[in-house]
Amino acid sequence: MTRVGAHAPVLPLLAVVALLALPLGPGGEGGAGPADALSALVVLYCAVRLVRDRRRPLSRTAAVVLGLPVLGVAVAAMGSVSPGEGLTGLGRYLQVFVLVPAAVLLLLRDRADFRLLAWSFVGLAVWQGAVGVHQYATGTGASYQGRPVRAVGTFGAQDVMGMATVVSLGLVCAVGLALGAAPVRQRLAGLACALVLLPPLALSFSRGAWIATAVTVTAQLLLSGLRRALATGAVVAAVSVIAVGGFGFGTAMLQERISSITRVADAPDQSVTDRYTMWAAATGMWGERPLTGVGLKGFPEHRDAHASLALSAGSDTEGAGAAFRKQPLLSPHNMYLLVLSEQGLIGLLALAGGWLALLVCAVRALWHTRRSRAPGLDCGLVACGLLIWQLTDFAYADIGGPSTVLTAMCFGLAAWWGLSPARSLPGHGTGGAGADARSRVEGAPAR
């Protein structure tokens, strides 16, 4: 009981991650799910703790960085097609980029809490990856090239990016935990989990997730040190070659999918054509209203007026327990262009400006930790990795679906590392000097 009590503030965050392991049911729309509802309760729980403990909520820097998105989102909400759509969009953006990240920052007290939440990401990824590999092996996954082999985990065919996102984030956490100056047991466990997560990531057939993960892992290796980067990179490359080439693990389909990345300009498939068309439509919307955009949730309403005839009616989805359906294309699948089209330059500068400031703070904290040989290098690598993955993936995807709550938690982990002085505090805060130091950092009276 004492050990559970030591982690009490972080338990609600673990519950949010655990809910994403539950199946959503075939034919789901891929919108907000139970984890999103629980995340709202977590925000309320955090607010109650702040009032009860009479703590200062955030430092000035944290308040500015996390509060920047509010400006553009509020302006765009006033320009929405309808008040209802504006309020819905406002709530979603505040949830993902302001409220949940702030709650994560405030509920995590030390590096032990951070690692526990990071390991929960890894555990969720291993579970979803295991379900995905089973789907591929038994032919019960989502349809890909007419065959039910695409690994989607419990997210279903209507959210084919859900499992790819979860597995990618878990792999990034595992790599960060393996590269840090932590006990050998943790480093070996992290490396083993990272290698285990490579097959399900490959079987997701998600080009965007592959690119974002490759960029992120490379950045993590470089941030951990050149010598370690070369050694670890050689191991990962060797295992990947053996798994894909030596054992023929999905060779034909994977090779075709990988090679399609280099053909996106010369011979794009229909999905790439649709994406280019929607990107052009988003740019056209921004050209009409460059400062404020067309309003939150306005992209579907204005899409047809700006899209060319090359845009298809929708993407075909079926399999993983769901019947065939035509899924409408309601976003440009590029977060930066979505914000630009719906919120204009004001929204993009506010939102992306906050992300850039957060990245600078996180990398700077990691640099100081590595230079001073202070503990917590693994936490820094995880935090920076999660943020780099999100910012890279946003070039190919946007928010939407149950896995979006993980995006919010990633920003929260990065904010804790980059903006909270508590990252330098030892122990679990169960008493003694560590507890007194934490009280002073958080602005509460020391007990």
Side-chain angles (χ1 to χ4, degrees):
M1 291 296 294
T2 303
R3 217 168 160 182
V4 173
H7 293 292
V10 80
L11 293 180
L13 300 175
L14 299 179
V16 173
V17 177
L19 278 181
L20 290 174
L22 301 177
L24 298 177
E29 294 297 323
D36 293 282
L38 183 57
S39 72
L41 296 179
V42 169
V43 172
L44 180 61
Y45 167 73
C46 181
V48 170
R49 283 181 60 89
L50 291 176
V51 173
R52 185 195 66 185
D53 298 338
R54 288 178 291 179
R55 286 167 45 193
R56 182 177 66 241
L58 296 169
S59 67
R60 184 178 302 175
T61 303
V64 171
V65 172
L66 292 179
L68 270 176
V70 178
L71 173 63
V73 174
V75 172
M78 292 187 291
S80 295
V81 177
S82 67
E85 293 285 356
L87 287 176
T88 301
L90 178 65
R92 188 61 157 166
Y93 274 93
L94 292 182
Q95 173 210 9
V96 176
F97 300 116
V98 180
L99 298 177
V100 173
V104 173
L105 186 156
L106 292 166
L107 290 175
L108 294 181
R109 299 159 306 160
D110 49 38
R111 295 186 301 274
D113 284 352
F114 185 102
R115 292 186 184 103
L116 187 60
L117 188 56
W119 277 114
S120 74
F121 274 48
V122 177
L124 175 65
V126 169
W127 161 247
Q128 291 287 356
V131 174
V133 171
H134 178 267
Q135 290 170 334
Y136 173 84
T138 59
T140 55
S143 178
Y144 177 74
Q145 294 184 349
R147 297 173 58 188
V149 294
R150 187 168 192 174
V152 293
T154 64
F155 293 96
Q158 275 68 52
D159 187 15
V160 294
M161 287 298 300
M163 191 211 77
T165 298
V166 168
V167 170
S168 298
L169 296 178
L171 193 151
V172 168
C173 288
V175 169
L177 293 166
L179 292 175
V184 175
R185 182 181 300 177
Q186 173 181 300
R187 297 204 303 268
L188 291 177
L191 179 59
C193 290
L195 295 176
V196 165
L197 290 173
L198 287 176
L201 177 61
L203 297 177
S204 70
F205 296 104
S206 172
R207 292 172 292 201
W210 293 348
I211 294 172
T213 304
V215 170
T216 302
V217 171
T218 301
Q220 286 178 303
L221 290 171
L222 293 175
L223 289 171
S224 68
L226 184 59
R227 182 180 302 176
R228 183 175 293 176
L230 293 175
T232 308
V235 172
V236 173
V239 172
S240 301
V241 169
I242 294 173
V244 177
F247 294 115
F249 195 76
T251 303
M253 285 188 173
L254 285 177
Q255 286 183 349
E256 190 279 332
R257 190 67 164 172
I258 293 172
S259 64
S260 69
I261 296 176
T262 62
R263 300 196 308 264
V264 292
D266 298 331
D269 54 32
Q270 185 57 50
S271 65
V272 174
T273 300
D274 286 340
R275 187 160 301 191
Y276 285 164
T277 304
M278 290 188 293
W279 288 2
T283 305
M285 295 177 202
W286 169 67
E288 283 189 356
R289 303 180 189 176
L291 285 180
T292 60
V294 296
L296 293 185
K297 298 285 187 177
F299 183 88
E301 185 74 19
H302 295 82
R303 183 199 64 184
D304 292 342
H306 295 86
S308 69
L309 296 177
L311 183 66
S312 65
S315 59
D316 299 338
T317 61
E318 65 176 323
F324 174 83
R325 62 166 293 185
K326 183 77 73 173
Q327 191 165 357
L329 304 173
L330 302 179
S331 74
H333 294 292
N334 181 304
M335 190 66 200
Y336 304 106
L337 290 178
L338 177 63
V339 173
L340 189 64
S341 63
E342 293 188 345
Q343 301 180 38
L345 279 176
I346 295 176
L348 183 63
L349 291 176
L351 201 59
W355 298 341
L356 181 60
L358 185 56
L359 180 61
V360 170
C361 291
V363 172
R364 184 177 60 182
L366 176 61
W367 177 256
H368 289 326
T369 299
R370 182 183 160 195
R371 207 173 159 190
S372 62
R373 298 184 181 275
L377 179 63
D378 55 339
C379 298
L381 291 171
V382 169
C384 292
L386 291 175
L387 187 55
I388 291 171
W389 191 91
Q390 289 293 344
L391 298 184
T392 305
D393 186 65
F394 278 166
Y396 309 96
D398 46 50
I399 57 174
S403 61
T404 298
V405 71
L406 283 186
T407 297
M409 298 181 76
C410 288
F411 279 101
L413 286 168
W416 183 88
W417 173 256
L419 302 173
S420 174
R423 68 173 178 272
S424 61
L425 296 178
H428 294 287
T430 55
D436 290 340
R438 182 174 295 102
S439 296
R440 290 192 294 272
V441 167
E442 293 172 344
R447 295 171 180 164

